[in-house]
Amino acid sequence: MWGTYWEWDARLTSVLILFLMYLGLMALWRAVEDPSRAARAAAVLTLVGALNLPIIKFSVDWWNTLHQPASVMRMGGSTLDKAFLIPLLVMAVAFTLLFVTLHLAAMRNEILRRRVRSLQMMQASRVAFSSGVGTGSREENASKGAA
Amino acid sequence: MTMSLGPYAPFIVTSYAAAALVVALLIGWVIIDYRNQTERLRQLERSGITRRSARSAVDAP
């Protein structure tokens, strides 16, 4: 559109920061083993990352770089020709629906993952109980575990 | 009828192909993850480890 693959333009750079935040969020979520602690840390990072959203929206108005000023959602209506605006809006709706569908499917997977985790913990506690680990003192359990 | 994309054809085709690949990977990832989780759940339940709610339903007179 602008005759370049990459430019340190305000919109492109702010979206790159958002992308890096998403990667950081995914890494943080996977780095912490306990899901409730991971969820708390991810929630804090999400709230901090949300500060970037208005910066992305208004970056084209605040900084005069390669990207054109706001042309779709602006006072006085869109400046785009209908030949571009209609396909753009159709695809925006399509990708939003795709995102919602994938998000719901991923939520179902996460519920299953947590169910598997709790069953695995139940299995581990049964094994520990049947082998006698966990019924004695801490020192006794440690020596049983070592044996 | 073919559409003439002009001198930017490689950029346009590469962009569409990359977007299609990422969307396909996302859909595949979610489907494979679902299959893995249901299989692990099935294995655990087969070995006798069930949820309390499932146990109480079975144990109920």
Side-chain angles (χ1 to χ4, degrees), chain B residues 2-52:
Chain B
T2 55
M3 190 189 295
S4 172
L5 299 175
Y8 297 105
F11 177 82
I12 295 167
V13 172
T14 310
S15 304
Y16 270 84
L21 181 69
V22 170
V23 169
L25 284 175
L26 269 176
I27 293 170
W29 179 26
V30 167
I31 291 171
I32 290 169
D33 192 24
Y34 176 72
R35 285 185 186 161
N36 285 342
Q37 298 308 321
T38 46
E39 179 55 34
R40 286 169 74 186
L41 204 57
R42 211 171 292 133
Q43 279 176 1
L44 281 163
E45 286 176 352
R46 222 179 285 139
S47 65
I49 311 291
T50 51
R51 285 175 293 148
R52 251 171 291 178

Side-chain angles (χ1 to χ4, degrees), chain A residues 2-21:
Chain A
W2 306 307
T4 180
Y5 283 96
W6 179 258
E7 187 77 32
W8 290 104
D9 161 81
R11 174 59 64 81
L12 287 178
T13 307
S14 55
V15 172
L16 175 68
I17 292 168
L18 180 72
F19 176 68
L20 295 176
M21 279 179 168

Side-chain angles (χ1 to χ4, degrees), chain A residues 35-104:
Chain A
S36 59
R37 282 184 59 211
R40 201 170 299 130
V44 171
L45 185 60
T46 305
L47 286 175
V48 173
L51 294 174
N52 194 32
L53 297 180
I55 295 174
I56 292 173
K57 163 74 179 127
F58 295 109
S59 60
V60 293
D61 298 322
W62 292 340
W63 296 287
N64 185 20
T65 47
L66 184 63
H67 194 288
Q68 76 278 9
S71 52
V72 179
M73 294 173 72
R74 60 187 283 280
M75 300 288 281
S78 169
T79 57
L80 278 182
D81 189 274
K82 276 186 182 171
F84 298 108
L85 184 63
I86 292 171
L88 178 71
L89 295 178
V90 168
M91 292 314 293
V93 171
F95 269 90
T96 304
L97 291 176
L98 176 69
F99 168 76
V100 170
T101 308
L102 286 175
H103 190 63
L104 288 174

